[in-house]
Coordinates of all heavy atoms in Angstrom, one line a residue:
M1 N -80.1 61.1 -26.1 CA -79.9 60.4 -27.3 C -80.1 58.9 -27.0 O -79.6 58.4 -26.0 CB -78.5 60.6 -27.8 CG -78.1 59.8 -28.9 SD -76.4 60.2 -29.5 CE -76.8 60.7 -31.1
T2 N -80.9 58.3 -27.8 CA -81.2 56.8 -27.6 C -80.8 56.1 -28.9 O -80.6 56.6 -29.9 CB -82.7 56.6 -27.4 OG1 -83.4 57.0 -28.5 CG2 -83.2 57.4 -26.1
D3 N -80.5 54.8 -28.6 CA -80.3 53.9 -29.7 C -81.3 52.7 -29.7 O -82.3 52.8 -29.0 CB -78.8 53.3 -29.7 CG -78.5 52.6 -28.3 OD1 -79.5 52.3 -27.6 OD2 -77.4 52.4 -28.0
A4 N -81.1 51.7 -30.4 CA -82.1 50.6 -30.5 C -82.2 49.9 -29.2 O -83.2 49.2 -29.0 CB -81.7 49.7 -31.7
V5 N -81.2 49.9 -28.4 CA -81.2 49.1 -27.2 C -81.7 49.9 -26.0 O -82.5 49.4 -25.2 CB -79.8 48.5 -26.9 CG1 -79.8 47.7 -25.6 CG2 -79.4 47.6 -28.0
G6 N -81.2 51.1 -25.8 CA -81.6 51.9 -24.6 C -80.9 53.2 -24.7 O -80.5 53.6 -25.8
S7 N -80.9 53.9 -23.7 CA -80.3 55.3 -23.7 C -78.9 55.2 -23.1 O -78.6 54.3 -22.4 CB -81.2 56.2 -22.9 OG -81.1 55.9 -21.5
I8 N -78.2 56.3 -23.4 CA -76.8 56.4 -22.8 C -76.9 56.6 -21.3 O -76.1 56.0 -20.6 CB -76.1 57.5 -23.5 CG1 -75.9 57.2 -25.0 CG2 -74.8 57.8 -22.8 CD1 -75.3 58.3 -25.8
D9 N -77.9 57.4 -20.9 CA -78.0 57.7 -19.5 C -78.4 56.5 -18.6 O -78.1 56.3 -17.5 CB -78.9 58.8 -19.2 CG -78.4 60.1 -19.9 OD1 -77.1 60.2 -19.9 OD2 -79.2 60.9 -20.3
M10 N -79.3 55.6 -19.2 CA -79.9 54.5 -18.5 C -80.0 53.3 -19.4 O -80.9 53.1 -20.1 CB -81.3 54.9 -18.0 CG -81.9 53.9 -17.1 SD -83.5 54.6 -16.5 CE -83.5 53.9 -14.9
P11 N -78.9 52.4 -19.4 CA -79.0 51.2 -20.2 C -80.1 50.3 -19.8 O -80.6 50.4 -18.7 CB -77.6 50.6 -20.0 CG -76.8 51.6 -19.3 CD -77.7 52.6 -18.7
D12 N -80.4 49.4 -20.7 CA -81.5 48.4 -20.4 C -81.3 47.6 -19.1 O -82.2 47.2 -18.4 CB -81.8 47.5 -21.6 CG -82.4 48.2 -22.7 OD1 -83.0 49.3 -22.5 OD2 -82.4 47.7 -23.9
A13 N -80.1 47.3 -18.8 CA -79.8 46.4 -17.7 C -80.2 47.2 -16.4 O -80.5 46.5 -15.4 CB -78.3 46.1 -17.6
E14 N -80.2 48.5 -16.4 CA -80.5 49.2 -15.2 C -82.0 49.6 -15.1 O -82.4 50.3 -14.2 CB -79.7 50.5 -15.1 CG -78.2 50.1 -14.9 CD -77.4 51.4 -14.8 OE1 -77.9 52.5 -15.0 OE2 -76.2 51.2 -14.6
N15 N -82.8 49.2 -16.1 CA -84.2 49.5 -16.1 C -85.0 48.9 -14.9 O -85.9 49.5 -14.4 CB -84.9 49.1 -17.4 CG -84.5 50.0 -18.5 OD1 -83.9 51.1 -18.3 ND2 -84.7 49.6 -19.8
E16 N -84.5 47.7 -14.5 CA -85.2 47.1 -13.3 C -84.7 47.8 -12.1 O -83.6 48.2 -11.9 CB -84.8 45.6 -13.2 CG -85.2 44.8 -14.4 CD -84.8 43.3 -14.2 OE1 -84.8 42.9 -13.0 OE2 -84.4 42.7 -15.1
T17 N -85.6 47.9 -11.1 CA -85.3 48.5 -9.8 C -84.7 47.4 -9.0 O -84.9 46.2 -9.2 CB -86.5 49.1 -9.2 OG1 -87.5 48.1 -9.0 CG2 -87.1 50.2 -10.0
Q18 N -84.1 47.8 -7.9 CA -83.4 46.8 -7.0 C -84.5 45.9 -6.3 O -84.2 44.8 -6.0 CB -82.6 47.6 -5.9 CG -81.4 48.2 -6.4 CD -80.3 47.2 -6.8 OE1 -80.4 46.0 -6.6 NE2 -79.2 47.7 -7.4
E19 N -85.7 46.5 -6.1 CA -86.7 45.7 -5.4 C -87.3 44.6 -6.3 O -87.7 43.5 -5.8 CB -87.9 46.6 -4.9 CG -87.5 47.7 -4.0 CD -86.9 48.9 -4.6 OE1 -87.3 49.2 -5.8 OE2 -86.1 49.6 -4.0
S20 N -87.3 44.8 -7.6 CA -87.9 43.8 -8.5 C -87.0 42.6 -8.8 O -87.4 41.6 -9.3 CB -88.4 44.5 -9.8 OG -87.3 44.9 -10.5
R21 N -85.7 42.8 -8.5 CA -84.7 41.7 -8.8 C -84.8 40.7 -7.7 O -84.9 40.9 -6.5 CB -83.3 42.3 -8.8 CG -83.0 43.2 -10.0 CD -81.6 43.6 -10.0 NE -81.3 44.6 -11.0 CZ -80.2 45.2 -11.2 NH1 -79.2 45.0 -10.3 NH2 -80.1 46.1 -12.1
K22 N -84.6 39.4 -8.2 CA -84.6 38.3 -7.2 C -83.1 38.2 -6.7 O -82.2 38.3 -7.5 CB -85.1 37.0 -7.9 CG -86.5 37.0 -8.2 CD -86.9 35.7 -8.8 CE -88.4 35.7 -9.2 NZ -88.8 34.4 -9.8
P23 N -83.0 37.9 -5.5 CA -81.6 37.6 -5.0 C -81.0 36.4 -5.6 O -81.7 35.4 -5.8 CB -81.7 37.5 -3.5 CG -83.1 37.2 -3.3 CD -83.9 37.8 -4.4
R24 N -79.7 36.4 -5.9 CA -79.1 35.2 -6.5 C -78.9 34.1 -5.4 O -78.6 34.4 -4.3 CB -77.8 35.6 -7.0 CG -77.9 36.5 -8.2 CD -76.6 36.9 -8.8 NE -76.0 35.7 -9.4 CZ -74.9 35.6 -10.0 NH1 -74.1 36.7 -10.1 NH2 -74.4 34.5 -10.5
K25 N -79.1 32.9 -5.8 CA -79.0 31.8 -4.9 C -77.5 31.3 -4.8 O -77.2 30.5 -3.9 CB -79.9 30.6 -5.3 CG -81.4 31.0 -5.3 CD -81.9 31.0 -3.9 CE -83.4 31.2 -3.9 NZ -84.0 31.2 -2.6
G26 N -76.7 31.6 -5.7 CA -75.3 31.1 -5.7 C -75.1 30.0 -6.6 O -73.9 29.5 -6.7
G27 N -76.0 29.5 -7.4 CA -75.8 28.5 -8.4 C -75.4 27.2 -7.8 O -75.8 26.8 -6.8
K28 N -74.4 26.6 -8.5 CA -73.9 25.3 -8.0 C -73.2 25.4 -6.7 O -73.3 24.5 -5.8 CB -72.9 24.7 -9.0 CG -73.6 24.3 -10.3 CD -72.6 23.7 -11.3 CE -73.2 23.3 -12.6 NZ -72.2 22.8 -13.5
R29 N -72.5 26.5 -6.5 CA -71.7 26.6 -5.2 C -72.6 26.8 -4.0 O -72.2 26.5 -2.9 CB -70.7 27.7 -5.4 CG -69.5 27.3 -6.3 CD -68.5 28.4 -6.2 NE -68.9 29.5 -7.1 CZ -68.2 30.6 -7.2 NH1 -67.2 30.8 -6.4 NH2 -68.6 31.6 -8.0
G30 N -73.7 27.4 -4.2 CA -74.6 27.7 -3.0 C -75.2 26.4 -2.4 O -75.6 26.4 -1.3
K31 N -75.3 25.3 -3.2 CA -76.0 24.1 -2.7 C -75.0 23.1 -2.1 O -75.5 22.1 -1.5 CB -76.8 23.5 -3.9 CG -77.8 24.4 -4.4 CD -78.5 23.8 -5.6 CE -79.5 24.8 -6.2 NZ -80.1 24.3 -7.4
K32 N -73.7 23.3 -2.3 CA -72.8 22.2 -1.9 C -71.9 22.8 -0.7 O -71.7 24.0 -0.6 CB -71.9 21.9 -3.0 CG -72.6 21.2 -4.2 CD -71.7 20.8 -5.3 CE -72.4 20.2 -6.4 NZ -71.5 19.7 -7.5
G33 N -71.5 21.8 0.1 CA -70.5 22.2 1.1 C -69.1 22.3 0.6 O -68.9 22.3 -0.6
P34 N -68.2 22.5 1.5 CA -66.8 22.7 1.1 C -66.2 21.5 0.3 O -65.5 21.6 -0.7 CB -66.0 22.8 2.4 CG -67.0 22.9 3.5 CD -68.3 22.6 3.0
L35 N -66.6 20.2 0.7 CA -66.1 19.1 0.0 C -66.8 19.0 -1.4 O -66.1 18.6 -2.4 CB -66.4 17.8 0.8 CG -65.6 17.6 2.1 CD1 -66.0 16.4 2.8 CD2 -64.1 17.7 1.8
G36 N -68.0 19.4 -1.5 CA -68.7 19.4 -2.8 C -68.0 20.4 -3.8 O -67.9 20.1 -5.0
R37 N -67.7 21.6 -3.2 CA -67.0 22.6 -4.0 C -65.6 22.1 -4.5 O -65.2 22.4 -5.6 CB -66.9 23.9 -3.3 CG -68.3 24.6 -3.1 CD -68.2 26.0 -2.7 NE -67.4 26.2 -1.5 CZ -67.9 26.4 -0.3 NH1 -69.2 26.5 -0.1 NH2 -67.1 26.6 0.7
L38 N -64.9 21.4 -3.6 CA -63.6 20.9 -3.9 C -63.7 19.8 -5.0 O -62.9 19.8 -5.9 CB -62.9 20.3 -2.6 CG -61.5 19.9 -2.8 CD1 -60.6 21.1 -3.1 CD2 -61.0 19.2 -1.5
G39 N -64.7 19.0 -4.9 CA -64.9 18.0 -5.9 C -65.2 18.6 -7.3 O -64.7 18.2 -8.3
L40 N -66.1 19.7 -7.2 CA -66.4 20.4 -8.5 C -65.1 21.0 -9.1 O -64.9 21.0 -10.3 CB -67.4 21.5 -8.2 CG -67.8 22.4 -9.3 CD1 -68.5 21.6 -10.5 CD2 -68.7 23.5 -8.8
F41 N -64.3 21.6 -8.2 CA -63.0 22.2 -8.7 C -62.2 21.2 -9.4 O -61.7 21.4 -10.5 CB -62.3 22.8 -7.5 CG -61.0 23.4 -7.8 CD1 -60.9 24.5 -8.5 CD2 -59.8 22.8 -7.3 CE1 -59.6 25.1 -8.8 CE2 -58.6 23.3 -7.6 CZ -58.5 24.5 -8.4
Y42 N -62.0 20.0 -8.8 CA -61.2 19.0 -9.4 C -61.8 18.4 -10.7 O -61.1 18.1 -11.7 CB -60.8 17.8 -8.5 CG -59.8 18.2 -7.5 CD1 -60.0 18.4 -6.1 CD2 -58.5 18.5 -7.9 CE1 -59.1 18.8 -5.2 CE2 -57.5 18.9 -7.0 CZ -57.8 19.1 -5.7 OH -56.8 19.5 -4.8
R43 N -63.1 18.3 -10.8 CA -63.8 17.9 -12.0 C -63.6 18.9 -13.1 O -63.3 18.5 -14.3 CB -65.3 17.7 -11.8 CG -65.6 16.3 -11.1 CD -67.0 16.0 -11.1 NE -67.9 17.0 -10.6 CZ -68.2 17.1 -9.3 NH1 -67.8 16.2 -8.4 NH2 -69.0 18.1 -8.9
Q44 N -63.6 20.2 -12.8 CA -63.3 21.2 -13.7 C -61.9 21.2 -14.2 O -61.6 21.4 -15.4 CB -63.7 22.6 -13.2 CG -65.2 22.8 -13.0 CD -65.5 24.1 -12.3 OE1 -64.6 24.7 -11.7 NE2 -66.7 24.5 -12.3
I45 N -61.0 20.9 -13.3 CA -59.5 20.8 -13.7 C -59.4 19.6 -14.7 O -58.7 19.8 -15.8 CB -58.6 20.5 -12.5 CG1 -58.5 21.8 -11.6 CG2 -57.2 20.1 -12.9 CD1 -57.8 21.6 -10.4
I46 N -60.0 18.5 -14.5 CA -59.9 17.3 -15.4 C -60.5 17.7 -16.7 O -60.0 17.3 -17.8 CB -60.5 16.1 -14.7 CG1 -59.6 15.7 -13.5 CG2 -60.6 15.0 -15.7 CD1 -60.2 14.6 -12.6
A47 N -61.6 18.4 -16.7 CA -62.3 18.7 -17.9 C -61.4 19.7 -18.8 O -61.4 19.5 -20.0 CB -63.6 19.4 -17.6
E48 N -60.7 20.6 -18.1 CA -59.9 21.5 -18.8 C -58.6 20.8 -19.4 O -58.2 21.1 -20.5 CB -59.4 22.7 -17.9 CG -60.5 23.7 -17.7 CD -61.0 24.4 -18.9 OE1 -60.2 24.7 -19.8 OE2 -62.2 24.6 -19.0
L49 N -58.1 19.8 -18.6 CA -56.9 19.1 -19.1 C -57.3 18.2 -20.3 O -56.4 17.9 -21.1 CB -56.4 18.2 -18.0 CG -55.6 19.0 -16.9 CD1 -55.1 18.0 -15.8 CD2 -54.4 19.7 -17.5
R50 N -58.5 17.8 -20.4 CA -58.9 17.0 -21.6 C -59.0 17.8 -22.8 O -58.9 17.3 -23.9 CB -60.3 16.4 -21.3 CG -60.2 15.2 -20.4 CD -61.5 14.5 -20.2 NE -61.4 13.4 -19.3 CZ -62.3 13.1 -18.4 NH1 -63.5 13.8 -18.4 NH2 -62.1 12.1 -17.5
K51 N -59.1 19.2 -22.7 CA -59.1 20.1 -23.8 C -57.8 20.4 -24.4 O -57.6 20.9 -25.5 CB -59.8 21.4 -23.4 CG -61.3 21.2 -23.1 CD -61.9 22.6 -22.7 CE -63.2 22.5 -22.1 NZ -63.7 23.8 -21.6
V52 N -56.7 20.1 -23.6 CA -55.4 20.5 -23.9 C -54.9 19.6 -25.1 O -55.1 18.4 -25.1 CB -54.4 20.3 -22.7 CG1 -53.0 20.5 -23.1 CG2 -54.8 21.2 -21.6
V53 N -54.2 20.3 -26.1 CA -53.6 19.6 -27.2 C -52.2 19.2 -26.8 O -51.3 20.1 -26.7 CB -53.6 20.4 -28.5 CG1 -53.0 19.7 -29.6 CG2 -55.1 20.8 -28.8
W54 N -52.0 18.0 -26.4 CA -50.7 17.6 -25.9 C -49.7 17.4 -27.1 O -50.1 16.8 -28.2 CB -50.8 16.3 -25.1 CG -51.6 16.4 -23.9 CD1 -53.0 16.1 -23.8 CD2 -51.3 17.0 -22.7 NE1 -53.4 16.4 -22.5 CE2 -52.4 17.0 -21.8 CE3 -50.1 17.5 -22.2 CZ2 -52.3 17.5 -20.5 CZ3 -50.0 18.0 -20.9 CH2 -51.2 18.0 -20.1
P55 N -48.4 17.7 -27.0 CA -47.5 17.5 -28.0 C -47.1 16.1 -28.2 O -47.2 15.3 -27.3 CB -46.2 18.3 -27.6 CG -46.4 18.4 -26.1 CD -47.8 18.4 -25.8
T56 N -46.7 15.7 -29.4 CA -46.3 14.4 -29.7 C -44.9 14.2 -29.1 O -44.2 15.2 -28.8 CB -46.3 14.0 -31.2 OG1 -45.4 14.9 -31.8 CG2 -47.7 14.2 -31.8
R57 N -44.4 13.0 -29.1 CA -43.0 12.7 -28.6 C -42.0 13.5 -29.4 O -41.0 14.0 -28.9 CB -42.8 11.2 -28.6 CG -41.4 10.9 -28.0 CD -41.2 9.4 -27.8 NE -42.0 8.8 -26.8 CZ -41.7 8.8 -25.5 NH1 -40.6 9.4 -25.1 NH2 -42.5 8.2 -24.6
S58 N -42.2 13.5 -30.8 CA -41.2 14.2 -31.6 C -41.2 15.7 -31.4 O -40.2 16.3 -31.3 CB -41.4 13.8 -33.1 OG -42.6 14.3 -33.5
Q59 N -42.4 16.2 -31.2 CA -42.5 17.7 -30.9 C -41.9 18.0 -29.6 O -41.1 19.0 -29.4 CB -44.0 18.1 -30.9 CG -44.6 18.2 -32.2 CD -46.1 18.4 -32.1 OE1 -46.8 18.1 -31.1 NE2 -46.7 19.1 -33.2
L60 N -42.1 17.1 -28.6 CA -41.6 17.4 -27.3 C -40.0 17.3 -27.3 O -39.3 18.1 -26.7 CB -42.1 16.3 -26.3 CG -41.8 16.5 -24.8 CD1 -42.5 17.8 -24.4 CD2 -42.4 15.4 -24.0
T61 N -39.5 16.3 -28.1 CA -38.0 16.2 -28.2 C -37.5 17.5 -28.9 O -36.4 18.0 -28.5 CB -37.7 15.0 -29.0 OG1 -38.3 13.8 -28.4 CG2 -36.2 14.8 -29.2
T62 N -38.2 18.0 -29.9 CA -37.7 19.2 -30.6 C -37.7 20.4 -29.7 O -36.7 21.1 -29.6 CB -38.6 19.4 -31.8 OG1 -38.6 18.3 -32.7 CG2 -38.1 20.7 -32.6
Y63 N -38.8 20.5 -29.0 CA -38.9 21.7 -28.1 C -37.9 21.6 -27.0 O -37.3 22.6 -26.6 CB -40.3 21.7 -27.4 CG -41.5 21.9 -28.4 CD1 -42.7 21.5 -28.0 CD2 -41.3 22.5 -29.6 CE1 -43.8 21.6 -28.9 CE2 -42.4 22.6 -30.5 CZ -43.6 22.2 -30.1 OH -44.7 22.4 -31.0
T64 N -37.6 20.4 -26.4 CA -36.6 20.3 -25.4 C -35.3 20.6 -25.9 O -34.5 21.3 -25.2 CB -36.7 18.9 -24.8 OG1 -38.0 18.6 -24.3 CG2 -35.7 18.7 -23.7
T65 N -34.9 20.1 -27.1 CA -33.6 20.4 -27.7 C -33.4 21.9 -27.9 O -32.4 22.4 -27.6 CB -33.5 19.6 -29.0 OG1 -33.7 18.3 -28.8 CG2 -32.1 19.8 -29.6
V66 N -34.5 22.6 -28.4 CA -34.4 24.0 -28.7 C -34.1 24.7 -27.4 O -33.3 25.7 -27.3 CB -35.7 24.5 -29.4 CG1 -35.7 26.0 -29.4 CG2 -35.7 24.0 -30.8
V67 N -34.8 24.4 -26.3 CA -34.6 25.0 -25.0 C -33.2 24.8 -24.5 O -32.6 25.8 -24.0 CB -35.7 24.6 -24.0 CG1 -35.4 25.0 -22.6 CG2 -37.1 25.1 -24.4
I68 N -32.8 23.6 -24.5 CA -31.4 23.3 -24.0 C -30.4 24.1 -24.8 O -29.4 24.6 -24.2 CB -31.2 21.8 -24.0 CG1 -32.0 21.1 -22.9 CG2 -29.7 21.5 -23.8 CD1 -32.0 19.6 -22.9
V69 N -30.5 24.1 -26.2 CA -29.5 24.8 -27.0 C -29.5 26.3 -26.6 O -28.5 27.0 -26.5 CB -29.7 24.6 -28.5 CG1 -29.0 25.5 -29.3 CG2 -29.4 23.1 -28.8
F70 N -30.7 26.9 -26.5 CA -30.9 28.3 -26.2 C -30.2 28.6 -24.8 O -29.5 29.6 -24.7 CB -32.4 28.7 -26.1 CG -32.6 30.1 -25.7 CD1 -32.3 31.1 -26.6 CD2 -33.0 30.4 -24.5 CE1 -32.5 32.5 -26.3 CE2 -33.2 31.7 -24.1 CZ -33.0 32.7 -25.0
V71 N -30.5 27.7 -23.8 CA -29.9 28.0 -22.5 C -28.4 27.9 -22.6 O -27.7 28.7 -22.0 CB -30.5 26.9 -21.5 CG1 -29.7 27.0 -20.2 CG2 -31.9 27.3 -21.2
V72 N -27.8 26.9 -23.3 CA -26.3 26.8 -23.4 C -25.8 28.0 -24.1 O -24.7 28.6 -23.7 CB -26.0 25.5 -24.2 CG1 -24.5 25.5 -24.6 CG2 -26.3 24.3 -23.3
V73 N -26.4 28.5 -25.2 CA -26.0 29.7 -25.9 C -26.0 30.9 -24.9 O -25.1 31.7 -24.9 CB -26.8 30.0 -27.1 CG1 -26.5 31.4 -27.7 CG2 -26.5 28.9 -28.2
M74 N -27.1 31.1 -24.2 CA -27.2 32.2 -23.2 C -26.1 32.1 -22.1 O -25.5 33.1 -21.7 CB -28.6 32.3 -22.6 CG -29.6 32.7 -23.6 SD -29.3 34.2 -24.5 CE -29.3 35.4 -23.2
I75 N -25.8 30.9 -21.6 CA -24.8 30.7 -20.6 C -23.4 31.1 -21.2 O -22.7 31.8 -20.6 CB -24.7 29.2 -20.1 CG1 -25.9 28.9 -19.2 CG2 -23.4 29.0 -19.4 CD1 -26.1 27.5 -18.9
G76 N -23.2 30.7 -22.5 CA -21.9 31.2 -23.1 C -21.8 32.7 -23.3 O -20.8 33.3 -23.0
L77 N -22.9 33.3 -23.7 CA -23.0 34.7 -23.8 C -22.7 35.5 -22.5 O -21.9 36.4 -22.5 CB -24.3 35.2 -24.4 CG -24.5 36.6 -24.7 CD1 -23.5 37.1 -25.8 CD2 -25.9 36.9 -25.1
V78 N -23.4 35.0 -21.5 CA -23.2 35.7 -20.2 C -21.8 35.4 -19.7 O -21.2 36.3 -19.1 CB -24.3 35.1 -19.2 CG1 -23.9 35.6 -17.7 CG2 -25.6 35.6 -19.6
T79 N -21.2 34.3 -19.9 CA -19.8 34.0 -19.5 C -18.9 34.9 -20.2 O -17.9 35.4 -19.6 CB -19.5 32.5 -19.8 OG1 -20.4 31.7 -19.1 CG2 -18.1 32.2 -19.4
V80 N -19.0 35.1 -21.5 CA -18.1 36.0 -22.2 C -18.2 37.4 -21.8 O -17.2 38.1 -21.6 CB -18.4 35.9 -23.8 CG1 -17.7 37.0 -24.5 CG2 -18.0 34.5 -24.3
I81 N -19.5 37.9 -21.6 CA -19.7 39.2 -21.1 C -19.1 39.4 -19.7 O -18.4 40.4 -19.4 CB -21.2 39.6 -21.1 CG1 -21.6 39.7 -22.5 CG2 -21.4 40.9 -20.3 CD1 -23.1 39.9 -22.7
D82 N -19.3 38.4 -18.8 CA -18.7 38.5 -17.4 C -17.2 38.5 -17.5 O -16.6 39.2 -16.7 CB -19.3 37.3 -16.6 CG -18.8 37.3 -15.2 OD1 -19.0 38.4 -14.6 OD2 -18.3 36.3 -14.7
Y83 N -16.6 37.6 -18.3 CA -15.2 37.6 -18.4 C -14.7 39.0 -18.9 O -13.7 39.5 -18.5 CB -14.7 36.5 -19.4 CG -13.2 36.4 -19.5 CD1 -12.5 35.9 -18.5 CD2 -12.6 36.8 -20.7 CE1 -11.1 35.8 -18.6 CE2 -11.2 36.8 -20.8 CZ -10.5 36.2 -19.8 OH -9.1 36.2 -19.9
G84 N -15.4 39.6 -19.9 CA -15.0 40.9 -20.4 C -15.0 42.0 -19.3 O -14.1 42.8 -19.2
F85 N -16.1 42.0 -18.5 CA -16.2 42.9 -17.4 C -15.1 42.7 -16.4 O -14.5 43.6 -15.8 CB -17.6 42.9 -16.8 CG -18.7 43.6 -17.5 CD1 -19.9 43.0 -17.7 CD2 -18.4 44.8 -18.1 CE1 -20.9 43.6 -18.4 CE2 -19.5 45.5 -18.8 CZ -20.7 44.9 -18.9
Q86 N -14.8 41.4 -16.1 CA -13.8 41.1 -15.2 C -12.4 41.6 -15.6 O -11.7 42.2 -14.8 CB -13.7 39.6 -15.0 CG -12.6 39.1 -14.1 CD -12.4 37.6 -14.1 OE1 -13.3 36.9 -14.6 NE2 -11.4 37.1 -13.5
E87 N -12.1 41.5 -16.9 CA -10.8 42.0 -17.4 C -10.8 43.5 -17.4 O -9.8 44.1 -17.1 CB -10.6 41.4 -18.8 CG -10.3 39.9 -18.8 CD -9.1 39.5 -18.0 OE1 -8.1 40.2 -18.0 OE2 -9.2 38.5 -17.3
A88 N -12.0 44.1 -17.7 CA -12.0 45.6 -17.7 C -11.8 46.1 -16.3 O -11.1 47.1 -16.1 CB -13.4 46.0 -18.2
V89 N -12.4 45.5 -15.3 CA -12.2 45.9 -13.9 C -10.8 45.7 -13.5 O -10.2 46.6 -12.8 CB -13.2 45.2 -13.0 CG1 -12.9 45.4 -11.5 CG2 -14.6 45.6 -13.2
K90 N -10.2 44.6 -13.9 CA -8.7 44.4 -13.5 C -7.9 45.5 -14.2 O -6.9 45.9 -13.5 CB -8.3 43.0 -14.0 CG -8.7 41.9 -13.1 CD -8.1 40.6 -13.7 CE -8.5 39.4 -12.9 NZ -8.0 38.1 -13.4
Y91 N -8.2 45.8 -15.4 CA -7.4 46.9 -16.1 C -7.6 48.2 -15.4 O -6.6 48.9 -15.2 CB -7.8 46.9 -17.6 CG -7.1 48.0 -18.3 CD1 -5.8 47.8 -18.8 CD2 -7.7 49.2 -18.7 CE1 -5.1 48.7 -19.5 CE2 -7.0 50.2 -19.4 CZ -5.7 49.9 -19.8 OH -5.1 50.9 -20.5
V92 N -8.8 48.6 -15.0 CA -9.1 49.9 -14.5 C -8.5 50.0 -13.1 O -7.9 51.0 -12.7 CB -10.6 50.2 -14.5 CG1 -10.9 51.5 -13.6 CG2 -11.1 50.4 -15.9
F93 N -8.7 49.0 -12.2 CA -8.3 49.1 -10.8 C -7.0 48.3 -10.5 O -6.6 48.3 -9.3 CB -9.5 48.5 -9.9 CG -10.7 49.3 -10.0 CD1 -11.8 48.8 -10.7 CD2 -10.8 50.6 -9.4 CE1 -13.0 49.6 -10.7 CE2 -11.9 51.3 -9.5 CZ -13.0 50.8 -10.2
G94 N -6.4 47.8 -11.5 CA -5.0 47.2 -11.3 C -5.1 45.8 -10.9 O -4.5 45.1 -10.3

């Protein structure tokens, strides 16, 4: 059975034989030494950080407040549960 691109048994990407393919040179990394690759890595990091949408000061304050309130509530919840288990263990084991 075939479709517009190729067959199920042999897709178009496999039509070339191994001998007719050119070996890959490695692109940018193949031409540079370890320091060149390290420099490329840091340039890519800086490029990605420029794409980040940083929160405004008010958003950051809001997010920080929400996290602190959530942590305080969870500490309170765990404290109450722990105290309950402590009293239950005292009651059962004397």
Side-chain angles (χ1 to χ4, degrees):
M1 172 177 243
T2 62
D3 56 17
V5 177
S7 70
I8 293 174
D9 297 329
M10 186 175 215
D12 286 343
E14 294 178 355
N15 287 344
E16 296 181 36
T17 62
Q18 290 290 355
E19 298 84 30
S20 66
R21 290 184 188 171
K22 293 182 180 178
R24 294 182 66 181
K25 297 282 185 180
K28 291 181 181 178
R29 287 189 280 172
K31 298 177 185 174
K32 296 182 179 181
L35 292 178
R37 289 194 306 258
L38 188 62
L40 175 65
F41 176 69
Y42 283 115
R43 282 194 303 275
Q44 289 174 345
I45 288 174
I46 291 169
E48 287 298 321
L49 285 175
R50 287 186 181 140
K51 296 178 188 177
V52 173
V53 178
W54 297 99
T56 63
R57 184 174 289 276
S58 64
Q59 288 173 331
L60 191 62
T61 304
T62 303
Y63 298 156
T64 304
T65 304
V66 167
V67 168
I68 290 173
V69 167
F70 177 77
V71 168
V72 167
V73 167
M74 291 307 294
I75 288 172
L77 182 66
V78 169
T79 301
V80 167
I81 292 172
D82 186 49
Y83 182 74
F85 282 136
Q86 176 185 350
E87 293 302 317
V89 167
K90 280 184 183 177
Y91 178 78
V92 170
F93 295 109

